[in-house]
Amino acid sequence: MKDKVVLITGGTSGIGRACAVAFGQAGARVVVTGRDEARLQDTARELAGLGISHHTVRADVGVATDSERAVQETIAAFGRLDVLLNNAGISMRARFQDVDLSVIERLMQTNFFGTVYTTKFALPHVLASKGSVVGISSIAGYRGLPGRTGYSASKFAMHGFLEALRTELLPQGVHVLLACPGFTASNIRQVALAADGSAQGESPRDEQKMMSSEEVAQHILNAVRHRRRDLVLTSQGKLTVFLNKWLPAITDKLVLSHFRKEEKDFEV
């Protein structure tokens, strides 16, 4: 990773921020985007304190012109782009029958179209470097999760997009990785959207029992180094993908039972 240039969307917290540190400590020059200026500055201070060459861009990936500007600023700052990490994303927690349609639209705009926009503008530069395009996805991209209809749909869409792109780019030497961390200790559940679009403000799970963002970031770094095509993390995540492929009807019942137990105040 020495002197490689890495653009990380949504890099001010959780997995994105941990990736900024991991890739930076591996020798990369890091560009981080985010919507919150205060969090961007806090991330910049951490990266500077670690001696990591970096640049921050205030941008919303769900806005095409913001995504284009993020790539332009990356090239202006460092002259090239080797790795794009499409990490920016939001989640939800509400039954479909209760959710406002604007919540579904917002998730698709950020999680799916944010990936499409940024990848579109980054691709000429990644082609030039024969680098990597990474989608930070979820087990929800393999298996629809109750209470997360919009989130699951957006991740399924991301999977289809990046799988097709990977196949298109095979002759051109570009690496495409789909990374699915499973449940990770981050702030994504606290800021997940409720049925009316407001932030949940709490997590329904014991975050301390989950894989840390830092550990996930190391796995993603290694997967990029070895140009892997898929990365599924945690034993629970791997088991869910396996069972859903071979025993889908049974998995329906297991997933529903699991979510009913863990979300006592949210019956699905």
Side-chain angles (χ1 to χ4, degrees):
M1 283 295 131
K2 184 168 175 57
D3 295 327
K4 300 290 187 183
V5 177
V6 182
L7 170 59
I8 304 171
T9 66
T12 60
S13 64
I15 293 171
R17 185 159 170 167
C19 282
V21 171
F23 279 81
Q25 289 182 323
R29 294 170 287 176
V30 177
V31 180
V32 170
T33 78
R35 294 180 296 177
D36 188 307
E37 183 62 35
R39 286 187 174 183
L40 274 172
Q41 293 306 314
D42 185 53
T43 302
R45 283 190 291 271
E46 180 180 9
L47 296 176
L50 294 169
I52 295 171
S53 180
H54 67 279
H55 180 71
T56 60
V57 184
R58 187 172 181 273
D60 181 346
V61 295
V63 178
T65 53
D66 278 18
S67 294
E68 184 175 23
R69 179 168 49 81
V71 173
Q72 290 173 342
E73 288 197 27
T74 299
I75 301 304
F78 297 119
R80 59 182 294 152
L81 177 56
D82 298 280
V83 180
L84 168 63
L85 263 67
N86 290 293
N87 170 75
I90 51 178
S91 188
M92 64 170 286
R93 181 164 155 252
R95 290 181 297 182
F96 180 70
Q97 68 190 62
D98 300 324
V99 74
D100 191 280
L101 287 175
S102 64
V103 172
I104 308 291
E105 292 167 350
R106 185 174 168 189
L107 266 79
M108 290 298 296
Q109 194 64 35
T110 297
N111 299 357
F112 174 63
F113 282 106
T115 296
V116 171
Y117 295 156
T118 312
T119 302
K120 178 67 173 178
F121 298 119
L123 190 56
H125 308 288
V126 177
L127 279 166
S129 64
K130 295 189 184 298
S132 298
V133 175
V134 182
I136 309 298
S137 185
S138 166
I139 299 305
Y142 284 100
R143 160 74 223 188
L145 302 181
R148 278 86 174 164
T149 49
Y151 183 70
S152 297
S154 69
K155 294 303 185 180
F156 267 73
M158 175 192 275
H159 280 219
F161 167 66
L162 289 177
E163 187 172 85
L165 184 67
R166 175 195 289 138
T167 309
E168 286 185 12
L169 297 177
L170 275 175
Q172 293 161 283
V174 171
H175 164 234
V176 178
L177 166 68
L178 265 169
C180 301
F183 289 117
T184 304
S186 71
N187 70 332
I188 192 169
R189 279 163 294 281
Q190 283 86 349
V191 297
L193 304 184
D196 62 358
S198 61
Q200 294 282 340
E202 49 83 29
S203 173
R205 291 183 171 77
D206 186 348
E207 301 279 326
Q208 293 181 341
K209 293 182 179 179
M210 298 179 187
M211 183 178 287
S212 69
S213 295
E214 290 74 21
E215 187 177 353
V216 170
Q218 286 298 322
H219 283 291
I220 293 170
L221 172 61
N222 290 333
V224 171
R225 278 174 165 158
H226 294 98
R227 296 174 80 86
R228 290 182 56 181
R229 68 191 309 277
D230 296 292
L231 176 67
V232 177
L233 296 177
T234 77
S235 57
Q236 183 186 48
K238 292 175 182 178
L239 180 61
T240 301
V241 172
F242 176 84
L243 290 176
N244 195 60
K245 181 177 181 179
W246 298 108
L247 299 168
I250 292 175
T251 307
D252 285 346
K253 297 175 182 178
L254 290 173
V255 169
L256 180 58
S257 175
H258 177 80
F259 275 81
R260 277 178 168 162
K261 287 178 181 177
E262 291 206 349
E263 306 206 2
K264 297 174 182 177
D265 62 339
F266 179 75
E267 294 187 5
V268 293

